[in-house]
Amino acid sequence: MKYLQGNYQIMHKQALNRDVYSMIMHCPEIAELAQPGQFVHILPKGFSLRRPISIAGIDRKNGTLRIVFVIKGKGTQAIANLNTGDYIDVIAPLGHGFTLMPEAAHVVLVGGGIGVPPMLPLADYYKDKATVISGFRSFPQVILQEDIEASGARAICCTEDGSAGAIKGFVTTPLEQLLSEGADAVFACGSLPMLKAVTDVCMRNHTYCEISMEERMACGVGACLGCACKIKKEGQEQFLHVCKNGPVFNAEEVCW
Amino acid sequence: MKYLQGNYQIMHKQALNRDVYSMIMHCPEIAELAQPGQFVHILPKGFSLRRPISIAGIDRKNGTLRIVFVIKGKGTQAIANLNTGDYIDVIAPLGHGFTLMPEAAHVVLVGGGIGVPPMLPLADYYKDKATVISGFRSFPQVILQEDIEASGARAICCTEDGSAGAIKGFVTTPLEQLLSEGADAVFACGSLPMLKAVTDVCMRNHTYCEISMEERMACGVGACLGCACKIKKEGQEQFLHVCKNGPVFNAEEVCW
Amino acid sequence: MADLSVHICGVDFKNPIIPASGVFGYGREYEEFYDLSELGGIATKGTTGQKRTGNPAPRIAETPAGMLNSVGLQNPGIDYFIQNELPYLLKKNTVILANIAGSTIEECAEVAEKLDATDVHMIELNISCPNVKQGGAAFGTSCDMAGQVTAAVRKVTKKPLIVKLSPNVTSITEIAKSVEAAGADAVSLINTLLGMRIDIHTKRPVLKNNVGGLSGAGIFPVAVRMVWQTANAVKIPVIGMGGVTSGEDAIELMMAGASAVQVGMAVFTDPYAPVKIIQQMNDFLEENKIASVQEIIGTVQPW
Amino acid sequence: MADLSVHICGVDFKNPIIPASGVFGYGREYEEFYDLSELGGIATKGTTGQKRTGNPAPRIAETPAGMLNSVGLQNPGIDYFIQNELPYLLKKNTVILANIAGSTIEECAEVAEKLDATDVHMIELNISCPNVKQGGAAFGTSCDMAGQVTAAVRKVTKKPLIVKLSPNVTSITEIAKSVEAAGADAVSLINTLLGMRIDIHTKRPVLKNNVGGLSGAGIFPVAVRMVWQTANAVKIPVIGMGGVTSGEDAIELMMAGASAVQVGMAVFTDPYAPVKIIQQMNDFLEENKIASVQEIIGTVQPW
Ligand SMILES: Cc1cc2nc3c(=O)[nH]c(=O)nc-3n(C[C@H](O)[C@H](O)[C@H](O)COP(=O)(O)OP(=O)(O)OC[C@H]3O[C@@H](n4cnc5c(N)ncnc54)[C@H](O)[C@@H]3O)c2cc1C
Ligand SMILES: Cc1cc2nc3c(=O)[nH]c(=O)nc-3n(C[C@H](O)[C@H](O)[C@H](O)COP(=O)(O)OP(=O)(O)OC[C@H]3O[C@@H](n4cnc5c(N)ncnc54)[C@H](O)[C@@H]3O)c2cc1C
Ligand SMILES: Cc1cc2nc3c(=O)[nH]c(=O)nc-3n(C[C@H](O)[C@H](O)[C@H](O)COP(=O)(O)O)c2cc1C
Ligand SMILES: Cc1cc2nc3c(=O)[nH]c(=O)nc-3n(C[C@H](O)[C@H](O)[C@H](O)COP(=O)(O)O)c2cc1C
Ligand code: FES
Ligand code: FES
């Protein structure tokens, strides 16, 4: 694994809704290395711990990375306060991303809420071989549907209250449907209950599934053992680390 | 004593030399109350303790106060990073200022280095009845001589190395001279050794002298008893407080 | 408006926020900013038998997310306090906690006895001041001494007696249990951690006393832990403090087990801190539809 | 270039900066950033007799100017360490401090004995980890136990033995004297302070272990005080740590009496922290025309 630390300039900042921001930073060396499913570890000014944020776009030609994040607490608030032209302190690219399957005929990408952004680099990779199911609470939370369509992937948007998208309800409804029609793999990111539900659907349908997990982090590089995640490998439960062994894990191996 | 806390806008910022800044803030309520020798207690962003800075100008008509400060550590650095238009968090006016003597015929104001700025409001008050002796290490440190002259007071500038001003050497040389010619009072601010030397000269010449003292502060309002200063009153030594009983004390009463 | 009132040892507080001893003097200086009646209570500067001058300056040093102080127990003495400060404070329509200290058990008892004859609402016995060489800290770091001084003070007063504990100990629960057994009606914690800073240019400790008490946001996690441990170890109420700077912090300490919360050095950063914290607590309770702040005391659910 | 070398228990360090145990793994992850040979030394993650899984997550909580951790002693066990990590580390041209821990005296001795047969430079016996229920902390908070475990380890190894002390005690100097008497060649301090945070929205402690160890800039004043007290209480060298984030901090700890300085969580904020600190120390020494860093050890002049 290769990663760097540096201060990189923000080229573009955009509010996707009241709480969610998209930022593009110029970091050619990192963009060169970055893979879908990896994350950047951002130091908000004045804080002592960094914040992990998934990579939501990789543009090697322009040497940029994109991130999309929701303001959750003081750290993400501080990052959201940065403006175009400001510099952002990151360590990246970190972690073990999604498996890329050049041979796959059809993959399903499932994102829930702020779990949708990490699906974008995958959509860019699989293009029209991917269907992206995005789930949101309600209309105001819906983000990135145009970006998915621009990638060439098929976009299915669900909202719990039916206020937007084709489907009222959870992501599992279209997922069941798609898997019954056959898919090579499922890649998912979202809340724990959603990931659990997606894993269940995949296991029932005997479809390979990878999910992106979250845990509180310190170092972000695998040194401090802070971000433990219980993983079952060859029948044995062990603590692996989200920042190094993950954030993407084989869904079957995760101990819930 | 009456004082306020608030966030006030910086109307003007100027570098007087590499390390010394002048700032003017719009705070009509405070300007209305402020007296020469009082100070403002500034909270640099991100710090937990405020920084005491003397008032270097009071403009009631425009509702502004001026401060002049040197970058000493991280707190004053943070204040110096503020720009015109930014807001500054202050509690002011604080402390017990210099005695104003409307009847005085001639007073001598002595400032050493960053002790010169608090002399300005006194110069504005006494005008041509004041002589202001300023002492600096060398030419690059010289500040505020035009401001003193603009007040109508006479300005005598000393530098230790003779690189600027009329006098090569310490402030005590012209002070001895002036006191031998007679003066009603001396008001001084500067380093401890300078204040001690000035006090000695005054006591030898039987001239009333007030000096502005410094001490590390927490509350700034007299509640925490942090800024103790040993003062002898009626033969008894006691700890008074720089922020409330001072910063200006009768030089004879200070226990060195 | 949520119900912010709390009741400790039979005393009614309109809200749980109390400026801590030593940061608020006798309240006069902060009356310039707001009405003291807005506060749940006020803990007054530590008072001893005789007038004390405290330690030489510098007494203050800044630290990351906190500060050190070595004020020591500078105060005008109990007689002056009772004559010149207390009557004024008692008119302010807020609970007055008279914080007391002493170098000897006898001194503590003497001061408490004098207070017993006044209308002060509560006595907070500080057995933990790290800035007094002759014994102050020793009381707070030995179960035996802590119990003895508590018992001696208990004997001379019927006032609700809060004993203020030092965090500079291996087991704060042992000390708490020992003062509970000796008759304390409540405990308050934490006092400051013992710390030091050195000016590397002069090679001198920043504080003339060499060491001083560390307070501020940096120590908040230690306060939460000790309040939680102590609330689980004793039956008497716990008053929490140490690094509280927001309503959320105060809520967190109360969930850990505090019945009320003192606010110390946050007052220096923002003189309005105590009243803002009261407002923020109210906002949190309203947003979460909690009718009374009493409902949250000790509600943390450990794993 | 000032002379930054220090010498502790007969071991030569090219500079006094050592990433602290637990924050640096076995160094591999930070080799992406710089050459490990730039460091004075490396303290490895605490190793026990058998493989351990550590505590459940969450194990990390942010605090003002610091963090809590409850990693516990997750590690692959001493045999794995000796076979798979140590040989690699020993090639890195820096001093390796093998940090060890155990639930029992026997376990500590067993681990030390195995290390004695290796080429590791020093053993750092952690008697202070607050995150292990079965005894870890108890060793560090009792003079008697601290002495016993030190003596047992001393018996099985000729390697320079550093004993790492807990700050969660009434008197760190008593513990230090007791491990000195039992044969320690040096002491290192401070380990983390015990702290806690609660998520007020879920009423759950942020850490699954409920409590955890507080480190970071917020505890620096406590570290300075304890290093100063300990350096004055024992004759063996003191290795200082706790909240160091800059070269100035490291200088301050050395003036307080530390012969070398470990850097912990600052590495999380900035992976380059240790090498920047080395550079900043050099700059300070040059500016102040101090030829060797050894000249500043213990030079604080108390009032
Ligand atoms: C691998 C990974 C990828 C992520 N990708 C994204 C993303 O693309 N977009 C996005 O909006 N969010 C993402 N998150 C979650 C994001 O890291 C948290 O929302 C953020 O750290 C919260 O910081 P805060 O200061 O705003 O909140 P606070 O609650 O104030 O943070 C306090 C502490 O808890 C940690 N923390 C809080 N929530 C989380 C969480 N869910 N996961 C890990 N640490 C947490 C913080 O990092 C900080 O140390 C990701 C998390 C992980 C682990
Ligand atoms: C009444 C009064 C009036 C002052 N007026 C002026 C002025 O007009 N212009 C000016 O440049 N300076 C003035 N000072 C000094 C100024 O307060 C300090 O230079 C400033 O606090 C340093 O802060 P820092 O964060 O930059 O330095 P640091 O050294 O990083 O500060 C660390 C801590 O020490 C305190 N401290 C350090 N030096 C002093 C000092 N000399 N006096 C009090 N506290 C100190 C700081 O407030 C802070 O709490 C005055 C001080 C006092 C007491
Ligand atoms: C300047 C200062 C003076 C203090 N004086 C006293 C005192 O006289 N008696 C006492 O019991 N505590 C005293 N304390 C301790 C505080 O009451 C409180 O326990 C401690 O500061 C922790 O709270 P904080 O982090 O909110 O400041 C003092 C604290 C400070 C900062
Ligand atoms: C995540 C983490 C893990 C730690 N693990 C250990 C350990 O295994 N053994 C040990 O002796 N100390 C351990 N420590 C304590 C540090 O070595 C150090 O003593 C402490 O963090 C204080 O230094 P700091 O404030 O610079 O971080 C750990 C600290 C952290 C933050
Ligand atoms: S955050 Fe340090 S190991 Fe994952
Ligand atoms: S700074 Fe609090 S009394 Fe002066």
Side-chain angles (χ1 to χ4, degrees), chain A residues 1-6 41 43-44 46-51 75 89 91 94 215-229 236-241 244, chain D residues 22-26 28-33 45 51 53-67 71 74-75 199 206 265 267-272 276:
Chain A
M1 212 171 28
K2 172 129 188 66
Y3 40 82
L4 306 159
Q5 180 268 338
H41 213 27
L43 183 65
F47 288 74
S48 38
L49 287 183
R50 291 171 180 266
R51 269 54 180 173
D89 182 341
I91 305 180
L94 295 176
E215 195 42 78
R216 290 184 182 239
M217 294 187 179
C219 72
V221 297
C224 76
L225 314 185
C227 59
C229 178
Q236 273 229 311
E237 291 193 358
Q238 48 184 309
F239 278 131
L240 293 186
H241 295 95
K244 191 173 187 170
Chain D
V23 305
F24 214 67
Y26 305 112
R28 290 182 206 269
E29 291 78 12
Y30 289 93
E31 257 187 314
E32 287 292 335
F33 299 109
K45 175 67 191 171
K51 175 186 153 108
T53 54
N55 293 314
R59 295 175 170 186
I60 304 287
E62 198 176 48
T63 69
M67 63 174 278
V71 168
Q74 178 173 3
N75 81 92
D199 180 332
V206 174
M265 81 152 289
V267 172
F268 305 150
T269 315
D270 180 0
Y272 289 95
K276 285 187 186 161

Side-chain angles (χ1 to χ4, degrees), chain D residues 14 31 36-37 42 87-94 96:
Chain D
K14 69 187 74 151
E31 257 187 314
L36 299 183
S37 69
I42 296 174
Y88 172 83
L89 277 168
L90 288 174
K91 286 193 214 111
K92 295 298 168 185
N93 188 23
T94 188
I96 304 301

